C-alpha cells in the first residue's frame, strides 16, 4: 500500500483541527455567558440616571478593566477560529495544493485574532480580579495561540513535496 509523504502531517493536522474546534467552541460558550451576564447586570441608563464616574460601554460586572476587551476579542477570535476549522476540514479532506491557500489564510487570520485576545488575557491576568470562568477562557486562548500555530505549520509541512 503506497503512502504519501504528507500523510503523517495530515493526521497531525486532523488532530489539531479537532482540538482547536473543541477549544474554540468552549471559548465561545464562556464568552457568550459573559456577554449575557454583562447585559443582564449592566447599567440602567435613562432619564434621571447619571452615568457612573468610570462608565465603560463594555462594562462587565465580573472581572476587571480588561474583561470587556478580552471577552469581545475572544468571541471574535472564536468565531473566526471555527471558520478556519471549517476551511481546514475541507483542506484535510482533499489535501492538495488547491485547498491549501484558503485553509492557511483562514488559519493565519484566526491565529492573529487569537494572539490579540491572548494579549488582553495577559492584561487581565496582570490586573488579577476575575472569576474561574474567565480564567478558563484565558487558559484556553493561551493554549489556542500555540495549537493554532502548530496547525498552520502542519498544513504547510504536509504540502512540501519530496523529490
Amino acid at each position: 500500500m503506497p503512502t504519501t509523504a504528507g500523510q503523517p502531517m495530515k493526521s497531525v493536522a486532523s488532530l489539531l483541527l479537532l482540538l482547536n474546534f473543541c477549544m474554540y467552541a468552549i471559548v465561545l460558550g464562556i464568552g457568550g455567558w459573559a456577554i449575557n451576564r454583562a447585559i443582564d447586570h449592566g447599567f440602567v441608563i435613562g432619564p434621571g440616571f447619571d452615568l457612573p464616574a468610570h462608565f465603560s460601554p463594555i462594562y462587565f460586572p465580573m472581572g476587571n478593566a480588561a474583561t470587556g476587551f478580552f471577552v469581545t476579542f475572544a468571541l471574535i477570535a472564536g468565531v473566526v477560529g471555527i471558520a478556519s476549522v471549517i476551511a481546514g476540514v475541507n483542506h484535510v479532506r482533499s489535501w492538495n495544493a488547491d485547498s491549501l491557500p484558503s485553509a492557511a489564510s483562514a488559519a493565519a487570520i484566526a491565529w492573529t485574532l487569537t494572539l490579540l485576545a491572548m494579549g488582553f488575557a495577559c492584561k487581565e491576568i496582570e490586573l488579577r480580579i476575575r472569576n474561574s470562568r474567565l480564567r478558563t477562557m484565558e487558559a484556553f486562548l493561551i493554549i489556542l495561540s500555540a495549537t493554532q500555530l502548530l496547525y498552520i505549520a502542519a498544513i504547510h509541512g504536509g504540502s512540501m513535496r519530496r523529490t
Side-chain angles (χ1 to χ4, degrees):
M1 179 183 273
T3 60
T4 61
Q7 194 64 30
M9 286 298 159
K10 184 176 178 180
S11 299
V12 169
S14 298
L15 178 66
L16 287 169
L17 277 174
L18 179 64
L19 177 66
N20 287 353
F21 176 79
C22 293
M23 290 198 309
Y24 276 125
I26 291 169
V27 165
L28 285 173
I30 296 171
W33 165 82
I35 291 283
N36 184 49
R37 177 128 185 216
I39 291 170
D40 288 346
H41 297 26
F43 295 118
V44 176
I45 302 171
F49 289 105
D50 292 328
L51 289 176
H54 299 291
F55 175 73
S56 171
I58 52 173
Y59 169 75
F60 282 75
M62 70 296 209
N64 53 46
T67 302
F69 298 103
F70 168 61
V71 171
T72 301
F73 284 100
L75 284 170
I76 293 169
V79 169
V80 176
I82 294 289
S84 79
V85 168
I86 293 169
V89 167
N90 182 47
H91 174 61
V92 167
R93 276 187 325 126
S94 59
W95 201 252
N96 60 33
D98 294 335
S99 63
L100 177 63
S102 62
S105 62
I109 293 168
W111 179 62
T112 56
L113 288 170
T114 303
L115 286 177
L116 182 61
M118 185 195 73
F120 285 116
C122 291
K123 183 62 177 178
E124 191 173 59
I125 291 168
E126 179 186 330
L127 296 176
R128 297 184 186 252
I129 304 169
R130 62 212 193 276
N131 65 19
S132 61
R133 290 179 182 159
L134 292 175
R135 287 182 186 148
T136 302
M137 195 160 67
E138 292 161 3
F140 273 56
L141 281 165
I142 291 168
I143 294 167
L144 274 165
S145 66
T147 59
Q148 188 72 11
L149 181 62
L150 289 174
Y151 165 70
I152 292 169
I155 62 175
H156 280 88
S159 67
M160 293 181 174
R161 303 215 189 271
R162 294 192 177 136
T163 55

